[in-house]
Amino acid sequence: MDVNAAVAAAAAIAGVLTGVIAMLAFRWSERELKRPTRTSLHTDPVLPPGVDTVLSVLRSSAVVLDEADAVVKASSAAYALGLVRGGRLSVEPMLQMARDTRRDGEIRQVELDLPRRGTGRGEALAVSARVAPLGSRLVLLLVEDLTEARRIEAVRRDFVANVSHELKTPVGALSLLSEAVMDASDDPEAVERFAGRMQIEATRLTNLVQELIDLSRVQNDDPLEDAEPVRVDELVAEAVDRCRHAAGAKQITMASGGTAGLRVWGHRGQLAAALGNLVENAVNYSPARTRVGIAARRVVGPGGDSIEIAVTDQGIGISDKDKERIFERFYRVDPARSRATGGTGLGLAIVKHVAASHGGEVTVWSSEGQGSTFTLRLPEAGAARDRAHEHPGHDDETGQSRDVSPDTTPYEPLPAPEVLP
């Protein structure tokens, strides 16, 4: 009995010791798991409170780097610009800036030109990068895209340079002609000749200033604030009347046609100026004894009906390389001819801005030596379209019959002018 009792007691004591040791081992392992390690300090950094929220609302691309140059946080814009790839900052100059800032704590800023992703044309992406320390271990990189701002600045510089050049030409001519008039004061015929030239240059200067004002107005004003249904027939008649004298001097026949009773929605003054510029260009760049045609039609589209107004001439035509640039401000296909006709190089730029601000577009078909067709496409006025559906086959006001069937055939260019005696 005594031996059995001793064995039992020893077994009980061994069990208790085993349980105590197991519990201590469990507690020790649990504490070790909770204790931060050197690895966790490097791979699981925590952003300071509120930083994540601030970065999410910044317009700049934001990237946060840890002390191992790994990306802790990056905005979607940073990925879109190609700054972050595979969890690392992919732009070496920015990475070096981050390392220098981490070392000395100084804020750094630099402007860089980066290659665009997905383009093989070598286009540069202009950015401004600013690096600052974020706490004791993190570095914050903010990147601002300056590409559009630089483009606008380049456009502004070119515009100012072009305006200065265009103003200098007639002003210089007026100065020289005034000196010539003074020197020829005793020659009435010379004075009359120089005075006529002065009138031409003064008119060119007036037209340039007026078109600059018109261009500024169509760029800054919202045409839909004063929008109204505008009759296309009235716009065409006004454009023809505006160019009647110039066309008559060159014996150019002006013909208008197409679907009657159409209406567009927009600013009447801007639309009249745009169509007038197209007709005026057609007359100025057409040889004598030719024909200029203006036609309007309705085109059915998935987004709603549109109105197309086409201006066709039998002029010198436009080469393929010039078609891409003719709507640029101050661009001329033939500078010498443009100056002879009094052109300023702003007419088509105004047409393009008016069409875009009205939700439309302007396109061109042209062949050298055969003429050109400029087509102005604008949204149809909704009220006019509804009335046309209610009373098909009749004009909204006159009651006269008209063609309401959709026309989707392309405009045919006028034939090349014949050699007339």
Side-chain angles (χ1 to χ4, degrees), residues 303-322:
D305 293 356
S306 300
I307 302 300
E308 283 188 352
I309 308 173
V311 179
T312 304
D313 62 61
Q314 297 170 293
I316 60 176
I318 305 170
S319 65
D320 292 337
K321 66 181 182 65
D322 289 321

Side-chain angles (χ1 to χ4, degrees), residues 207-374:
N207 292 339
L208 175 59
V209 173
Q210 183 59 50
E211 291 202 346
L212 285 172
I213 295 173
D214 293 341
L215 180 61
S216 176
R217 182 178 295 116
V218 300
Q219 287 179 327
N220 297 327
D221 294 348
D222 183 3
L224 300 183
E225 289 183 358
D226 301 320
E228 59 179 336
V230 181
R231 291 180 61 91
V232 175
D233 295 340
E234 295 177 358
L235 295 177
V236 172
E238 186 173 335
V240 170
D241 187 65
R242 168 178 166 177
C243 303
R244 192 179 303 279
H245 177 73
K250 299 173 67 174
Q251 300 183 31
I252 293 177
T253 302
M254 302 187 67
S256 58
T259 305
L262 300 177
R263 287 177 173 81
V264 293
W265 182 262
H267 188 283
R268 177 181 173 79
Q270 292 189 14
L271 294 175
L275 184 57
N277 285 344
L278 291 180
V279 177
E280 186 175 13
N281 275 0
V283 172
N284 289 339
Y285 289 93
S286 292
R289 301 182 181 181
T290 55
R291 180 168 171 258
V292 171
I294 307 100
R297 67 177 182 181
R298 177 187 292 111
V299 177
V300 178
D305 293 356
S306 300
I307 302 300
E308 283 188 352
I309 308 173
V311 179
T312 304
D313 62 61
Q314 297 170 293
I316 60 176
I318 305 170
S319 65
D320 292 337
K321 66 181 182 65
D322 289 321
K323 289 178 186 178
E324 300 178 357
R325 301 192 59 190
I326 55 175
F327 294 103
E328 296 178 11
R329 288 172 289 191
F330 296 109
Y331 184 79
R332 296 182 174 93
V333 174
D334 185 350
R337 185 180 181 91
S338 297
R339 296 188 187 279
T341 59
T344 63
L346 291 175
L348 292 180
I350 293 175
V351 175
K352 180 180 178 180
H353 280 288
V354 171
S357 62
H358 283 74
E361 63 176 348
V362 57
T363 58
V364 59
W365 172 93
S366 185
S367 179
E368 291 186 273
Q370 297 186 20
S372 306
T373 297
F374 286 84

Side-chain angles (χ1 to χ4, degrees), residues 62-324:
V63 180
V64 178
L65 303 176
D66 64 9
E67 47 194 7
D69 292 334
V71 175
V72 178
K73 175 72 176 180
S75 63
S76 57
Y79 286 99
L81 289 179
L83 304 179
V84 178
R85 297 179 185 175
R88 309 290 294 185
L89 186 63
S90 61
V91 183
E92 184 60 31
M94 297 181 185
L95 186 58
Q96 186 59 48
M97 288 174 58
R99 292 169 180 169
D100 294 340
T101 297
R102 186 185 300 111
R103 185 183 63 253
D104 55 25
E106 292 185 4
I107 298 176
R108 290 175 168 80
Q109 184 168 353
V110 68
E111 292 188 1
L112 301 171
D113 291 333
L114 307 178
R116 287 182 181 269
R117 296 180 60 186
T119 61
R121 295 174 293 177
E123 297 180 351
L125 185 70
V127 298
S128 174
R130 185 178 179 87
V131 180
L134 186 62
S136 59
R137 297 164 38 226
L138 303 179
V139 174
L140 172 63
L141 171 66
L142 296 177
V143 180
E144 189 76 23
D145 187 357
L146 303 179
T147 307
E148 184 65 15
R150 285 192 180 182
R151 187 192 67 80
I152 294 175
E153 178 63 19
V155 171
R156 186 193 66 81
R157 287 197 305 267
D158 292 344
F159 181 73
V160 172
N162 287 329
V163 168
S164 301
H165 176 74
E166 294 295 332
L167 290 175
K168 182 180 179 180
T169 301
V171 170
L174 287 172
S175 177
L176 293 175
L177 288 169
S178 63
E179 293 178 4
V181 169
M182 294 178 62
D183 294 338
S185 57
D186 56 347
D187 186 351
E189 293 184 0
V191 170
E192 183 178 358
R193 184 172 65 255
F194 291 142
R197 288 293 305 167
M198 291 178 68
Q199 286 184 338
I200 294 175
E201 296 298 333
T203 301
R204 176 178 298 172
L205 183 61
T206 301
N207 292 339
L208 175 59
V209 173
Q210 183 59 50
E211 291 202 346
L212 285 172
I213 295 173
D214 293 341
L215 180 61
S216 176
R217 182 178 295 116
V218 300
Q219 287 179 327
N220 297 327
D221 294 348
D222 183 3
L224 300 183
E225 289 183 358
D226 301 320
E228 59 179 336
V230 181
R231 291 180 61 91
V232 175
D233 295 340
E234 295 177 358
L235 295 177
V236 172
E238 186 173 335
V240 170
D241 187 65
R242 168 178 166 177
C243 303
R244 192 179 303 279
H245 177 73
K250 299 173 67 174
Q251 300 183 31
I252 293 177
T253 302
M254 302 187 67
S256 58
T259 305
L262 300 177
R263 287 177 173 81
V264 293
W265 182 262
H267 188 283
R268 177 181 173 79
Q270 292 189 14
L271 294 175
L275 184 57
N277 285 344
L278 291 180
V279 177
E280 186 175 13
N281 275 0
V283 172
N284 289 339
Y285 289 93
S286 292
R289 301 182 181 181
T290 55
R291 180 168 171 258
V292 171
I294 307 100
R297 67 177 182 181
R298 177 187 292 111
V299 177
V300 178
D305 293 356
S306 300
I307 302 300
E308 283 188 352
I309 308 173
V311 179
T312 304
D313 62 61
Q314 297 170 293
I316 60 176
I318 305 170
S319 65
D320 292 337
K321 66 181 182 65
D322 289 321
K323 289 178 186 178
E324 300 178 357

